[in-house]
Amino acid sequence: MEFKETRVLVTGGTRGIGRGIVEAFAVEGAQVAFTYRSSVAVAEELEEATGGLAFQCDAADFDGAEQVVKQMVKAWGGVDVLVNNAGITRDNLLMRMSESDWDVVINANLKSIFNYSKAVYRVMMRQRYGRIVNISSIVGLTGNPGQANYAASKAGIIGISKSLAKELGARGVTVNVVAPGYVETDMTEGISEKMKENMIRSVPVRRTAVPEEIAAPVLFLASSGAAYITGQVLTVDGGLSM
């Protein structure tokens, strides 16, 4: 098992893509810690099922991120893999978008990358080893009407990831991005069936993804087989962004 005893931290780990990533690492023998904001019962169930550590913390909370990493290091001695997955949407046309809708999405989706990457930065440098995988979106590459805040946050993730890849590469730390397309999660449950049909028609493979199909490339980028890959964006979108 490639990840036996590997120490993994996943933000936003109780639902959707995040949960899929937590479960995939656990199956491969990793020690998995994850953050969550409000789903206490779900977090407790997942913590017990994986034998991991659950931390209730808003990903946008800078001090909270530092405390999460400190507690993980105290418990397990270090952090080998960080998966920045936490994210939200507040969709609207820009002309109708409130300042708070802009700020909350940028803080949750982009500032959280800064928070947790900074919190593990020195830990991974001292180890001279680390894998950071940031979850962006094809919307960060293509844009999407009604998602100016979301697209900006996801495009920003790509920029910070490339910068960190250049800063940390000489210390044995790689930083890469996975940019999913349409994935079946609770974030997409509110979309009407007609909209889903239209979305699927635009995808060359003619279906949406499931969280496990996003977890698989995350595990690859965290593996020894990807040791010479850094600063890259891997789109996992069924060909949608071609």
Side-chain angles (χ1 to χ4, degrees), residues 13-220:
T14 56
R15 303 180 303 158
I17 292 171
R19 185 182 182 114
I21 293 168
V22 168
E23 291 175 337
F25 272 114
V27 166
E28 292 297 323
Q31 297 175 289
V32 190
F34 60 90
T35 70
Y36 67 99
R37 189 173 60 176
S38 58
S39 307
V40 177
V42 175
E44 289 176 348
E45 173 266 321
L46 185 60
E47 183 179 37
E48 183 176 353
T50 61
L53 295 173
F55 298 104
Q56 187 169 19
C57 182
D58 188 331
D61 181 352
F62 178 81
D63 293 332
E66 284 197 332
Q67 288 305 311
V68 166
V69 171
K70 283 181 180 178
Q71 290 178 63
M72 184 174 169
V73 171
K74 183 178 180 180
W76 291 341
V79 182
D80 300 309
V81 179
L82 167 65
V83 182
N84 282 307
N85 165 77
I88 62 171
T89 58
R90 293 289 187 276
D91 296 348
N92 216 330
L93 295 175
L94 187 66
M95 65 183 292
R96 299 192 186 112
M97 187 177 292
S98 68
E99 182 183 10
S100 64
D101 284 343
W102 175 271
D103 288 345
V104 72
V105 168
I106 296 296
N107 284 337
N109 298 2
L110 182 55
K111 184 172 181 283
S112 62
I113 306 289
F114 167 78
N115 293 345
Y116 280 88
S117 298
K118 185 173 175 63
V120 302
Y121 197 106
R122 293 185 185 277
V123 175
M124 289 184 173
M125 282 182 68
R126 285 195 298 269
Q127 295 173 171
R128 299 193 70 84
Y129 178 85
R131 300 284 184 264
I132 298 175
V133 183
N134 295 323
I135 307 301
S136 178
S137 167
I138 62 160
V139 173
L141 296 167
T142 65
N144 203 37
Q147 289 193 308
N149 51 359
Y150 186 74
S153 69
K154 294 300 185 177
I157 289 171
I158 295 170
I160 189 174
S161 298
K162 288 180 177 290
S163 297
L164 287 174
K166 292 182 176 182
E167 290 184 20
L168 290 167
R171 295 300 185 103
V173 180
T174 64
V175 186
N176 290 290
V177 177
V178 171
Y182 297 132
V183 185
E184 287 289 345
T185 68
D186 55 358
M187 286 180 69
T188 60
E189 282 180 0
I191 299 174
S192 69
E193 287 303 315
K194 185 175 181 179
M195 285 185 67
K196 282 184 181 179
E197 289 173 8
N198 291 336
M199 285 163 48
I200 290 170
R201 275 198 295 269
S202 66
V203 180
V205 301
R206 294 294 189 269
R207 66 175 180 84
T208 57
V210 294
E212 291 79 6
E213 292 175 301
I214 311 303
V218 171
L219 264 66
F220 166 67

